[in-house]
Each structure stands twice: as C-alpha cells, then as structure tokens.
Amino acid sequence: MTFKEIHTQFHLKLDADYGRDEVDAMFFLLSEHFLNKKRIDLSLRPYYMLVNEELSELTQALGRLQNNEPVQYIIGLTNFYGLEFKVNQHTLIPRPETEALVSLVIESLKPQHVHLHKINILDLGTGTGCIAISLAKNIANAEVYALDNSNDALKIAQKNAALNAVEVFFFESDILKENDWVLNFKNIKFDIIISNPPYVRALEKAEMKPNVLNYEPGSALFVTDEDPLIFYRAIAELASNYMKPNGLLFFEINQYLAQETKKMLEMHNFEIIEIYPDLSGNDRMIKAIK
Ligand SMILES: C[S@@+](CC[C@H](N)C(=O)[O-])C[C@H]1O[C@@H](n2cnc3c(N)ncnc32)[C@H](O)[C@@H]1O
C-alpha cells in the first residue's frame, strides 16, 4: 500500500468522528513517528510504498483511533510548554490549560524571587512531571520538588526530567496524608506551591468524551460529588506550615467551583486571591499569597 492510500483510509474511517483537519494532524503525527520522516518529505512522496512494518504500525494506530484512544498514548509522547514529554496510561495527558498555569507562575515571579539564591517550588500531583519540569527548565534558580501517589506516573516523570535535562526531586507521597508531608518536607519551606489535582466531579462525567473517560487514569481526574475540594483543602491546610512568608500558591481549578475554592482559601487566611480564565474564558486558575 502507498502512503497516499493509507492516508485515504484514515480519512474514510475517521473523518466522521474527528473531522478532516484533526485526522490530517493525527495522521502526519503518526507517520512522522512510525516512518521516522518529516511531514514535508512524506507529503512530497505520496506514492512511497510502505514496508510491511510501517503499514502494520499505521494500520494498528488507525484501529486504536477508531476505538477513541488518544493519539498521544499511541505514540507515547506529547508536547507541553515547548518541551517533549513521555506519556502512558498511568499519566494524564498534559493540557493547554496547564501550560497557562505554568506561564502564570513564571509571569508572577517578583524581583525578590529572581534575586533569591534559589526558589523552592513544590508541585503536588505531578503526573508526567509537566509542571515541575517546565518550571525547572524556565526558572534558572529553581529547586523543584514534585510528588504523586502513583509510582507508575513517577517512573514516567523521572524519565521526562532526564529527557529534558533538568533535576527535579520526586517523592511518592499522598497529598491527603499529613504524615507524608512531615516526613518529606520537614526541613523545607517553599516559595511557590503549585498543583493541578484531581477536580472533576462524578456528575460532570456526562460532559466528557470517550477518549478521556476510557483511557486517561480516573485517579488523576475524579473527585466525589460530596467533597470536590478535598485536595485543595488539604493543600491549603498544610501549605501554611510549609510556605515562606509571602509564598505564592497556584491551583488549576474546576471552572464550576472557582468561587467555592476562593472562599476556602480565604478561610485558610490566604490573601490577594485572584481567579484567572483559560483560553476558552472559563475560570481555570487561582493565585493566592500566604
Ligand atoms: C489532574 S492530574 C495532574 C497531572 C499533571 N500535574 C498535569 O498537570 O498534567 C492529578 C495528579 O494527581 C495525582 N494524585 C491523585 N491522588 C493523589 C494523592 N492522594 N496524592 C498524590 N497525588 C495524587 C494523580 O496520580 C495525577 O497524576
């Protein structure tokens, strides 16, 4: 089969579900990955005859896309904040909203931070390590700590730190267990604490697409309808003991719970609490000062 013929197969089988432009984007991403050639070279050689292994990999990928598997899991890679990250079924696929959170942290650095000998940063629920690693890469004097309770996710995060040539101190630890904080961080005070914890309520599942529901880890996404702020409250309670005066707290938040999250932070004596929208205009981030 030629490159052009398999391209046509992708459109025939996927356009109805994904739309033509999205299918093109996924097809060329997969082709570049499995054929190890640049898109421009592939486009110039439509009658290139695929060898058996190439055809089999693209055909399998087509089947996986028909089953709604995210293309990032098929190639095992994604981009975040201009960097490459490995992903697998144990890690959430980093989102553009979270890139905006990283930008907000970097833009919020004050002259006193830039002149500090080092800026201690803690990322809670690190997943692929995307937040921790992007901050380590872009803040010259950052000393970055990151935790997750998933050992499988941490294995990927460690690989991603190596892939991007940064040092991050990773811990297998539970956000909800105060003892873990005491053990890991008893001698450290942070300038910046940041988290994109699980925040989707079960009642919001109806809004979600099968590529997320069937493939991304539920433990990274969901909280109960009864206590959706459980992770935010635990972090706010413990942050007091582990932050420097005027330390900055950043959260990615559930758009439907922005005011509740703000109120909870006020009750924990945070100040100058600001809510920021994502690119779609939904309330998605909070910054607060301790
Ligand atoms: C929404 S994902 C965020 C992943 C990554 N930081 C990102 O922004 O793409 C939440 C992460 O929190 C982790 N997590 C869930 N419950 C946790 C807990 N009790 N303690 C520590 N981490 C937890 C999950 O394994 C997952 O990696």
Side-chain angles (χ1 to χ4, degrees):
M1 190 183 278
T2 64
F3 184 70
K4 188 177 160 67
E5 284 166 339
I6 188 83
H7 190 183
T8 305
Q9 287 295 313
F10 268 66
H11 279 303
L12 282 174
K13 302 225 163 109
L14 299 173
D15 279 7
D17 285 336
Y18 292 89
R20 199 171 170 80
D21 291 347
E22 178 71 12
V23 171
D24 266 336
M26 295 190 300
F27 175 73
F28 281 103
L29 193 64
L30 289 160
S31 303
E32 285 193 322
H33 181 74
F34 289 123
L35 277 59
N36 199 21
K37 291 184 175 66
K38 292 267 166 246
R39 177 174 180 156
I40 178 78
D41 298 326
L42 292 165
S43 301
L44 290 171
R45 295 177 65 196
Y47 299 105
Y48 169 72
M49 190 60 74
L50 297 165
V51 299
N52 282 346
E53 198 186 328
E54 292 168 340
L55 179 60
S56 139
E57 277 171 326
L58 286 176
T59 309
Q60 277 178 34
L62 173 56
R64 290 170 73 175
L65 289 174
Q66 284 183 290
N67 286 328
N68 297 305
E69 186 166 348
V71 69
Q72 295 92 335
Y73 287 150
I74 299 174
I75 64 173
L77 286 171
T78 194
N79 274 295
F80 181 87
Y81 216 74
L83 303 171
E84 196 163 76
F85 285 85
K86 291 178 187 289
V87 292
N88 69 13
Q89 73 274 22
H90 302 294
T91 64
L92 193 85
I93 299 166
R95 305 289 204 270
E97 292 86 330
T98 312
E99 292 181 312
L101 185 69
V102 170
S103 289
L104 180 64
V105 174
I106 293 171
E107 284 157 17
S108 302
L109 291 177
K110 302 213 170 60
Q112 76 256 28
H113 287 124
V114 179
H115 292 114
L116 275 177
H117 176 56
K118 61 179 184 185
I119 306 177
N120 285 340
I121 300 177
L122 174 61
D123 169 32
L124 299 126
T126 198
T128 51
C130 58
I131 296 174
I133 291 165
S134 307
L135 292 175
K137 195 83 187 168
N138 286 283
I139 305 174
N141 51 343
E143 182 154 295
V144 185
Y145 299 77
L147 65 84
D148 206 288
N149 68 344
S150 161
N151 184 266
D152 290 317
L154 285 171
K155 284 183 190 150
I156 291 288
Q158 265 152 351
K159 286 187 183 161
N160 283 328
L163 183 66
N164 289 292
V166 293
E167 184 173 52
V168 173
F169 301 101
F170 290 107
F171 296 86
E172 184 176 341
S173 180
D174 190 331
I175 295 172
L176 303 176
K177 288 197 184 139
E178 187 172 351
N179 274 351
D180 281 14
W181 290 66
V182 177
L183 276 179
N184 292 326
F185 305 120
K186 68 172 177 244
N187 295 319
I188 307 173
K189 297 266 185 205
F190 294 100
D191 300 280
I192 292 171
I193 291 185
I194 180 166
S195 184
N196 172 21
Y199 61 67
V200 183
R201 290 169 294 178
L203 63 85
E204 291 160 38
K205 274 189 186 174
E207 292 173 23
M208 298 175 80
K209 297 201 173 131
N211 59 335
V212 177
L213 277 178
N214 298 342
Y215 291 96
E216 298 205 71
S219 55
L221 290 166
F222 295 111
V223 283
T224 63
D225 292 345
E226 293 72 35
D227 192 6
L229 298 186
I230 183 167
F231 288 101
Y232 298 91
R233 212 175 43 250
I235 295 169
E237 274 166 17
L238 288 165
S240 317
N241 300 328
Y242 296 89
M243 280 181 108
K244 293 186 189 164
N246 296 318
L248 296 174
L249 178 71
F250 296 87
F251 282 140
E252 184 171 319
I253 57 170
N254 184 321
Q255 65 190 88
Y256 305 117
L257 299 171
Q259 291 307 325
E260 286 88 337
T261 313
K262 185 176 180 187
K263 271 196 206 101
M264 183 277 295
L265 287 174
E266 282 165 357
M267 284 168 60
H268 286 86
N269 300 319
F270 281 86
E271 291 170 2
I272 321 179
I273 304 166
E274 292 168 325
I275 298 173
Y276 296 83
D278 61 21
L279 292 171
S280 315
N282 297 316
D283 289 339
R284 187 62 65 200
M285 298 167 268
I286 275 196
K287 175 170 102 174
I289 299 181
K290 189 70 199 172

